[in-house]
Amino acid sequence: MSLVKLRSGFEWLLEVITMFLVVALTVVVLLGVSFRYAGNSLGWYDEVAAVMLAWVTYYGAALAALKRAHISVPGFVYSRPRAVRMALVVLGEAITITFFVLLAIYGVHVIGVLGGSTLVSVPIPVALTQSTIPIGAALFVIAELLNLPDILREAWDGRKPPSEQDIVEEMQ
């Protein structure tokens, strides 16, 4: 399987998961608001919605990483000579990947500490709700690794990332 097909399949998976979570979060919030308006508040919706928002954030961040949509400073990086540019890109990627590997490791540790706890309003294990930390971090690392060949090639060639090219073209 080629890297392009793998990346495309991973992107599709993240898009489906993220869209499902956004729709589910919308339904939960609309139910909560509707029931509250009717005078019969749901005691669980705000806690569940908060957990779902965290899930949307982690999965969405991984999707944004795959699409290379996070904030960066390519104008600064790509204006440097090749050796400096490569060093900056490698250092930036190493820091990012290391951070998310550590986040995944400590996320697993947090799940272990939480053990048999459940949410206050519903009997859902907190370990399940917090599993998004290591899973989201691992997905972010996978996204970064899938993009790494293109990032290094662009840095070597001195080509700006496609996202910056799009901005320049739209401004013209």
Side-chain angles (χ1 to χ4, degrees):
M1 179 182 279
S2 74
L3 188 61
V4 173
K5 284 185 180 180
L6 183 63
R7 188 184 180 290
S8 178
F10 187 61
E11 183 175 351
W12 176 84
L13 178 66
L14 286 176
E15 285 175 346
V16 167
I17 291 169
T18 304
M19 283 188 289
F20 171 77
L21 288 170
V22 168
V23 169
L25 176 59
T26 303
V27 168
V28 167
V29 170
L30 288 175
L31 276 174
V33 169
S34 299
F35 273 80
R36 182 169 288 174
Y37 182 76
N40 297 321
S41 293
L42 299 173
W44 54 266
Y45 97 91
D46 56 340
E47 188 175 27
V48 171
V51 168
M52 291 179 75
L53 182 59
W55 281 45
V56 168
T57 301
Y58 276 92
Y59 283 90
L63 180 59
L66 188 64
K67 292 180 177 266
R68 297 174 65 185
H70 284 284
I71 295 172
S72 62
V73 286
F76 172 76
V77 172
Y78 287 89
S79 67
R80 305 289 149 216
R82 179 181 287 166
V84 175
R85 187 171 59 237
M86 289 300 293
L88 289 171
V89 167
V90 168
L91 179 64
E93 289 300 309
I95 289 170
T96 301
I97 291 170
T98 300
F99 172 79
F100 282 98
V101 166
L102 290 173
L103 184 62
I105 290 167
Y106 284 101
V108 169
H109 178 70
V110 165
I111 290 172
V113 169
L114 295 172
S117 302
T118 61
L119 295 178
V120 174
S121 59
V122 287
I124 296 174
V126 174
L128 175 66
T129 66
Q130 298 303 309
S131 67
T132 192
I133 297 170
I135 293 169
L139 293 173
F140 202 103
V141 169
I142 292 168
E144 287 294 313
L145 292 175
L146 287 172
N147 283 329
L148 194 57
D150 287 339
I151 292 169
L152 293 174
R153 194 174 314 105
E154 289 165 3
W156 181 261
D157 294 342
R159 287 182 292 131
K160 292 184 172 130
S163 58
E164 187 167 297
Q165 293 290 24
D166 293 344
I167 293 169
V168 170
E169 289 171 9
E170 285 181 22
M171 292 177 69
Q172 294 176 348

